[in-house]
């Protein structure tokens, strides 16, 4: 739990609104993103762990939501943060239209290693991104742990000609990351850890094992902005601040994390409101000139009503919130 005291469950349920937002294109195997929005004393916050996460893991996301809704964020060092475009596992022909949703972004993160995709398709998609962005553009690829060590080594060789900024989570485990980093170190392509940081009991294990050159840091899965900043300070590695396909309310938490970090060498993965076909505010945190604003977001009551989840899903999410609250209270 964060430094702020856990509010009573009734305070959370009293303002909780469950929404279901359609996506522009299928992402992470889903077409609709669901989230619980809660109004705290400091403003609106979000609880949206992915459905497959168990209650113990999801409770950390609730701790983050409470931290952001019940406590003022740390002082901001910047009022805008640069963000990357996110290219899902789409056909190469669709790449230009995807990039158009991220105006001004100089960096693109391309999803690769999906179970229903081949390496040839990944190469074609990354080539299309490079063609669209030109030699000045920055390209990073994200495997979401979809390759084993040998597959990752082969894939990195195949993608290297496109001048990669880094390869994110090519393999699922810390040990595999350490091995693929050892095998490909001579190529000069950094390895980034994402899931190995946010889903580990010890987020610092990646740094201690020499398994990554940089860390992808997300406020919600790490338990909030302050916990994430503690990980950053202790890891001693460069970081990328990112999100988890949040609504603009959740993205505001990530933006405040990015704003409070001393050094932001890499563009943030906080432009994902562009992947939503609908949002909860009429002033969403969409990229403008390659950046998003650092500000809190207030949902629009009419949009909350329009995009409310059905009764069954609402009950599921509120029961999940109640179980996670019990875990934090124990």
């Amino acid at each position: 739990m964060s430094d702020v005291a856990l509010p009573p469950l009734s305070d959370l349920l009293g303002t909780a609104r469950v929404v279901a937002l359609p996506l522009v294109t299928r992402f992470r195997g889903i077409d609709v993103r669901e989230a619980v929005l809660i109004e705290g004393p400091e403003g609106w916050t979000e609880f949206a762990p992915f459905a497959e996460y168990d209650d113990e893991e999801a409770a950390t996301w609730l701790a983050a939501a409470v931290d952001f809704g019940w406590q003022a964020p740390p002082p901001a060092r910047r009022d805008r943060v640069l963000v990357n475009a996110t290219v899902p596992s789409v056909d190469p022909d669709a790449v230009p239209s995807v990039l158009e949703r991220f105006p001004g972004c100089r960096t693109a993160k391309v999803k690769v290693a999906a179970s229903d995709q081949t390496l040839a398709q990944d190469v074609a998609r990354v080539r299309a991104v490079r063609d669209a962005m030109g030699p000045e553009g920055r390209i990073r690829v994200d495997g979401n742990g979809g390759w084993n060590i040998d597959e990752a080594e082969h894939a990195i060789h195949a993608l290297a000609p496109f001048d990669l900024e880094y390869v994110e989570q090519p393999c699922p485990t810390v040990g595999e990351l350490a091995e693929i980093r050892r095998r490909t170190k001579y190529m000069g392509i950094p390895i980034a850890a994402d899931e190995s940081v946010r889903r580990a009991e010890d987020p610092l294990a990646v740094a201690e094992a020499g398994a990554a050159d940089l860390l992808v840091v997300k406020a919600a899965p790490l338990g909030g902005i302050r916990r994430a900043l503690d990980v950053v300070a202790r890891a001693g590695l460069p970081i990328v601040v990112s999100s988890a396909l949040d609504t603009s309310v959740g993205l505001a938490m990530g933006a405040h994390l990015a704003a409070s970090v001393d050094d932001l060498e890499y563009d943030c993965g906080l432009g994902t409101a562009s992947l939503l076909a609908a949002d909860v505010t009429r002033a969403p945190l969409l990229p403008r000139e390659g950046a998003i604003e650092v500000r809190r977001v207030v949902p629009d009551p009419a949009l909350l009503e329009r995009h409310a989840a059905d009764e069954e899903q609402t009950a599921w999410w509120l029961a999940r919130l109640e179980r996670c609250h019990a875990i934090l209270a124990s």
Side-chain angles (χ1 to χ4, degrees), residues 69 122 196 299:
D122 290 339
S196 292

Side-chain angles (χ1 to χ4, degrees), residues 17-51:
R17 300 292 299 268
V18 184
V19 296
L21 304 177
L23 304 183
V24 174
T25 187
R26 193 168 181 81
F27 190 80
R28 279 187 57 101
I30 60 175
D31 300 298
V32 175
R33 180 64 166 129
E34 297 179 343
V36 184
L37 304 182
I38 305 164
E39 186 175 16
E42 292 292 334
W44 284 86
T45 188
E46 179 170 309
F47 171 62
F50 290 106

